[in-house]
Every structure is written in structure tokens, then in C-alpha cells.
Amino acid sequence: MNWLAIETSGNAASIALQVGDRIESDVLGTGNAPASGEVLAGIAALLVRAGVTLDQLDGIAVGVGPGAFTGVRVACSVAQGLSLAKGIPVVPVVSLDAVAQSEPADAVLAVLDARMGEVYWARYRRDAGGLLQREAMGVCAPDALAVPDDVRWTVCGAGFTEYREQFSPALLAQLDTGDITAIASAAQLLTWRAAMQVEAVAPEALAPCYVRDKVALTTAERVAKALKA
């Protein structure tokens, strides 16, 4: 099985290629989302290095966010173009799911930096089949984040490290620490896809996962935030 993955929703954009059991990945850069041309050039180089052609791909796993507005649109548009041109199946992967799936706990809280002083979060429970299933997802200020108190939760994701001082004492008291350096990566998308065995979607149905309507602060809000700091 040959699978390509594209993850550009966060601060570190990456692509990965799985050939059999081997996964090889490249980081495309940090900071701003890469342009679609840069992603396509990276994919071409990765395929050449592995000796695989587009026609030999069995599918593409795509990080659909939540994350940077431009980044998730780049990943989706590149995957759609390749899928339509070559008939390659595409599988959307929520970035928080990819971060959470490596945690062995029965209750997991994944947290990523949403910028604008907020975090993306998702809660997961392990089911009878031993797989983490997402039960809720959202975006909020760190001090507004809460989890049910019926169990202890294992927190993962670099958003927890970024905003640790802003989470409430009540929340911190309910948490055990997992991989709090984790960010969504293309290699994680491939691991998640293999574990979940989800079906592909039609390329025209591939779309970013948005959990917030507002994508930028106003000038007045940026000034107020700077003065508060």
C-alpha cells in the first residue's frame, strides 16, 4: 500500500509517504502556510526519492484542521487536484484526531494552539474496540476549557504547553500529562488512517474542518491585547 499525507494546518507543514510499512516524511517549513506550488514540489521530490509515481498511490490522507485558515485550504486544494487528475482516493483527517490517537489512555484531551489567544480542543474516549473516539470538539480561551469530572484525562498537544499558565486550577487538577509537545504531522495522519480504516470521500466533498467563524482579530482587538500584555 502506498499512501501520501499532507498536513499544513499548523505552524509546521509536512508531507509524508507510506510505502508498505515504511513512512518517510519531509517538513515543508514553519510559520506561514506553504503555497500549493511548494507542496506539490515537495510531493514530487518525495515520490522520486521513494521510487513511487502518482499512479502508484492507493490514497491521500489530508489534514483538514481545525487550524490555519490558509493552511487547511492549501492541503484540501492540493489533494483535490491530485485526486481528480489521477483518480486517487482521499481520506480527510481531523488534526486533533491525529494528535490524540497515539495516547494509550482511556480518556484523552487534545489541545492545539488556535492563535488569537485561544485553543482548539477535543475530548476522546476509548471504545470497546480499543480505539479512541472523539466525543466533542471546539475552540475557546484557555481559562474557559473544562472536561467532565467522571474520570481523569490525559492531555496531549503543544497547545497545552503554549497556554499552560492560563488553564484553570480545576482543569489542571483533572489532568495527567501525555505528549504535550505533539503537533499534527503528516506521518501522524498515516498512522491514524491505518488504525481507523476509514473510507475515502469524493474529492469534491473534501473540505476544511472549521470550529470557529472568526479568523482574525480586529485592529482594536489587537491593540487591546497588546496593551493588556
Side-chain angles (χ1 to χ4, degrees):
M1 296 289 285
N2 302 324
W3 274 80
L4 176 69
I6 307 169
E7 171 54 70
T8 58
S9 68
N11 290 332
S14 61
I15 54 176
L17 179 66
Q18 181 174 7
V19 179
D21 294 330
R22 180 172 58 88
I23 294 178
E24 188 170 353
S25 61
D26 283 339
V27 175
L28 298 177
T30 58
N32 295 329
S36 58
E38 184 180 351
V39 176
L40 287 168
I43 290 171
L46 186 58
L47 290 171
V48 168
R49 197 161 72 235
V52 175
T53 67
L54 285 173
D55 292 322
Q56 293 174 303
L57 289 179
D58 295 294
I60 304 173
V62 188
V64 296
F69 179 78
T70 301
V72 292
R73 291 172 66 86
V74 166
C76 287
S77 64
V78 168
Q80 283 175 325
L82 294 176
S83 178
L84 290 169
K86 294 293 185 177
I88 307 169
V90 290
V91 171
V93 183
V94 171
S95 304
L96 286 158
D97 293 355
V99 168
Q101 58 83 31
S102 61
E103 292 296 335
D106 290 333
V108 175
L109 174 67
V111 184
L112 293 174
D113 185 3
R115 302 182 182 179
M116 295 171 59
E118 294 182 325
V119 293
Y120 294 121
W121 60 268
R123 298 196 311 266
Y124 301 82
R125 306 262 189 165
R126 197 165 297 280
D127 68 10
L131 296 174
L132 283 175
Q133 300 290 334
R134 177 169 17 99
E135 67 173 15
M137 178 171 65
V139 60
C140 67
D143 59 5
L145 182 58
V147 293
D149 60 4
D150 57 333
V151 296
R152 290 194 63 78
W153 295 78
T154 295
V155 63
C156 62
F160 180 77
T161 302
E162 179 72 19
Y163 293 98
R164 186 166 194 157
E165 301 303 317
Q166 299 180 41
F167 293 109
S168 71
L171 175 67
L172 295 175
Q174 293 178 255
L175 301 179
D176 295 320
T177 303
D179 184 358
I180 56 174
T181 65
I183 59 173
S185 71
Q188 285 176 319
L189 303 189
L190 294 173
T191 303
W192 183 92
R193 186 212 65 82
M196 302 301 287
Q197 291 293 310
V198 295
E199 295 184 0
V201 301
E204 57 269 22
L206 188 65
C209 173
Y210 294 130
V211 296
R212 93 158 31 124
D213 295 325
K214 186 174 182 178
V215 297
L217 295 174
T218 65
T219 300
E221 288 170 331
R222 291 196 298 270
V223 170
K225 183 178 179 181
L227 292 174
K228 185 176 180 181

